[in-house]
Amino acid sequence: EPYQGAATGVGGIVRDIMAMGARPIAVMDQLRFGAADAADTRRVVDGVVRGVGGYGNSLGLPNIGGETVFDPSYQGNPLVNALCAGVMRVEDLHLAFASGTGNKIILFGARTGLDGIGGVSVLASDTFSGDESGTGRKKLPSVQVGDPFTEKVLIECCLELYAAKLVVGIQDLGGAGLSCATSELAAAGDGGMRIELDQVPMRATGMTPAEVLSSESQERMCAVVTPENVDAFMAVCRKWDTLATVIGEVTDGDRLIVTWHGETVVDVPPRTVAHEGPVYERPVRRPDEQDALIADSTDKLTRPKTGDELRATLLQMLASPQLCSRKWITEQYDRYVRGNTVLAEHADAGVIRIDEQTGRGIALATDASGRYTKLDPYTGAQLALAEAYRNVATTGATPKAVTNCLNFGSPEDPGVMWQFQQAVRGLA
């Protein structure tokens, strides 16, 4: 589902910024598609670009840059990597932890549904039919269904809650839904947690405890609030027409206990869920074909020898999907909403103003070098980082920090594990 898949990528990264106490101010995207002339590429490109633009534009966040690459290796496995930048004062930093016995756990934002459950097994065997709110079980896609207008309101609601100092700890709900949010909050705190799962507002009937715990419905946040601040917290949520429900509290034990209509369905030390999972020692082996891949150099390629051949080569390059204009993509994104965008196109990096009085701004660049990394994962990762560093520097900005979003094949393949190992070493 290209549209919703891309849209929820933007929505999820924006909530990561919100959960830190910051206001999101800009987004970027790195897109990878199969061959431009492949049968399904047009559908996928159209859906992804509309998804990125539809969600980001609706949030009022400028898209200030990115990359789009076409290559047969991405056929059937397109990549959508989203970046979001936010601003905050250091003293406004919020973290994900549940501390203080008796503090309440409040779930706020959208209702919990059946989307994001089951992975590809849901998609493999049947068509989608029925009504999620009906009594029949509906096979929903594993892609979450996002609502950017709900998230826009959630952003403003969160910022007002932070300003009023009504939040002890906070976590967004993304992958694995409540099961992840509650275990991570409890694991980072100084006690335990008790959750009454049947108190979770649901938009589907007949949901099981496992479905409620693992649902990845979008636009949801989980906050830890002191009892004396619950009423004020709820008042802010009502102001922004944001649904908020007390679903549990921090306890003085060391267990995460989840009940369903009085029956205990989970009783575990939270760290065993959040941090102490199994560690796999995967076999690592340099692929046998790596030497042949490197030896297959450009020496075998013919060079244009006449003026006509040179002209034909130039025209072929200009028409290549790798070199042609990306304007048909970037025109679908709002680059100048909020009025702080300095650079967003025809530039090596995006630049956005963060302070109108001082004129201070930040520069952002996203880069990757898939072909170089295929040839030499160690050096290819370094080249990607170096390119992003240079692109920020060319705007006049001083590079300050780096993050990464790494995409590899199956870790069960020793050759892929070798690529991953070498790339991480290269970045480090």
Side-chain angles (χ1 to χ4, degrees):
E1 216 313 296
Y3 182 93
Q4 292 293 354
T8 55
V10 176
I13 198 68
V14 168
R15 286 194 304 280
D16 286 340
I17 295 296
M18 292 162 52
M20 301 301 294
R23 173 180 285 281
I25 59 168
V27 294
M28 302 178 82
D29 61 289
Q30 276 191 319
L31 310 179
R32 298 291 185 271
F33 302 108
D37 57 356
D40 199 41
T41 297
R42 179 181 290 272
R43 179 189 69 89
V44 175
V45 171
D46 175 68
V48 167
V49 173
R50 285 191 299 109
V52 170
Y55 208 102
N57 294 349
S58 298
L59 291 180
L61 295 176
N63 188 313
I64 60 172
E67 283 187 315
T68 302
V69 172
F70 296 91
D71 190 272
S73 62
Y74 299 107
Q75 199 68 40
N77 282 298
L79 300 179
V80 179
N81 290 329
L83 175 152
C84 180
V87 292
M88 58 179 289
R89 295 188 179 277
V90 174
E91 58 268 24
D92 294 333
L93 175 67
H94 283 72
L95 300 175
F97 65 93
S99 296
T101 301
N103 285 346
K104 303 302 179 182
I105 309 300
I106 300 180
L107 179 66
F108 64 111
R111 291 179 179 270
T112 298
L114 289 167
D115 48 328
I117 299 175
V120 295
S121 62
V122 177
L123 296 168
S125 60
D126 208 341
T127 57
F128 307 136
S129 60
D131 183 352
E132 187 178 3
S133 61
T135 56
R137 306 307 289 152
K138 179 184 178 184
K139 284 184 177 291
L140 290 177
S142 59
V143 175
Q144 308 93 322
V145 180
D147 179 359
F149 300 104
T150 296
E151 180 138 327
K152 173 60 178 171
V153 171
L154 194 58
I155 292 173
E156 303 304 328
C157 181
C158 284
L159 291 172
E160 184 164 335
L161 291 170
Y162 299 150
K165 302 188 183 305
L166 298 176
V167 174
V168 175
I170 192 165
Q171 172 100 4
D172 72 296
L173 271 69
L178 268 173
S179 62
C180 178
T182 53
S183 60
E184 288 189 352
L185 282 167
D190 53 15
M193 183 183 291
R194 185 177 184 87
I195 298 294
E196 296 179 13
L197 206 58
D198 49 283
Q199 296 300 310
V200 173
M202 289 169 261
R203 64 168 181 258
T205 58
M207 291 183 70
T208 66
E211 289 172 335
V212 177
L213 273 173
S214 59
S215 168
E216 296 181 6
S217 294
Q218 297 292 285
E219 295 91 33
R220 298 181 298 162
M221 305 287 283
C222 198
V224 182
V225 182
T226 60
E228 62 270 21
N229 283 333
V230 169
D231 288 343
F233 186 102
M234 295 298 190
V236 173
C237 289
R238 283 194 298 272
K239 170 186 173 181
W240 292 101
D241 198 21
T242 296
L243 180 64
T245 308
V246 176
I247 62 169
E249 66 179 17
V250 179
T251 63
D252 60 359
D254 60 355
R255 312 284 291 187
L256 169 62
I257 299 174
V258 180
T259 64
W260 177 256
H261 297 287
E263 177 187 357
T264 299
V265 294
V266 175
D267 184 355
V268 294
R271 286 196 63 83
T272 63
V273 181
H275 302 298
E276 297 173 359
V279 178
Y280 295 99
E281 296 292 342
R282 295 286 188 194
V284 178
R285 186 178 67 249
R286 187 175 186 269
D288 296 334
E289 64 273 13
Q290 195 71 22
D291 288 335
L293 180 67
I294 295 172
D296 186 15
S297 68
T298 60
D299 294 340
K300 301 175 184 177
L301 299 178
T302 59
R303 267 58 173 179
K305 298 178 180 178
T306 67
D308 288 342
E309 290 178 349
L310 185 60
R311 180 178 184 276
T313 301
L314 177 59
L315 291 176
Q316 184 179 3
M317 291 175 62
L318 292 174
S320 167
Q322 307 299 358
L323 299 177
C324 69
S325 170
R326 299 292 188 263
K327 192 173 183 179
W328 56 277
I329 292 178
T330 59
E331 281 189 338
Q332 298 183 55
Y333 303 152
D334 192 333
R335 302 187 295 275
Y336 299 103
V337 64
R338 301 183 66 87
N340 287 317
T341 303
V342 179
L343 286 176
E345 60 177 342
H346 310 308
D348 293 307
V351 178
I352 191 160
R353 179 178 57 188
I354 64 173
D355 190 316
E356 292 188 9
Q357 292 184 336
T358 64
R360 175 173 293 178
I362 56 174
L364 300 166
T366 61
D367 287 286
S369 52
R371 291 193 173 190
Y372 287 139
T373 306
K374 175 76 171 177
L375 289 168
D376 184 339
Y378 180 85
T379 305
Q382 291 182 321
L383 290 172
L385 176 56
E387 183 179 358
Y389 191 104
R390 291 194 306 271
N391 285 341
V392 165
T394 57
T395 68
T398 301
K400 291 291 189 180
V402 62
T403 185
N404 63 65
C405 189
L406 306 181
N407 302 271
F408 289 87
S410 171
E412 296 179 355
D413 182 337
V416 172
M417 277 301 297
W418 175 80
Q419 293 175 333
F420 176 64
Q421 176 198 67
Q422 295 300 308
V424 172
R425 284 185 58 240
L427 285 176

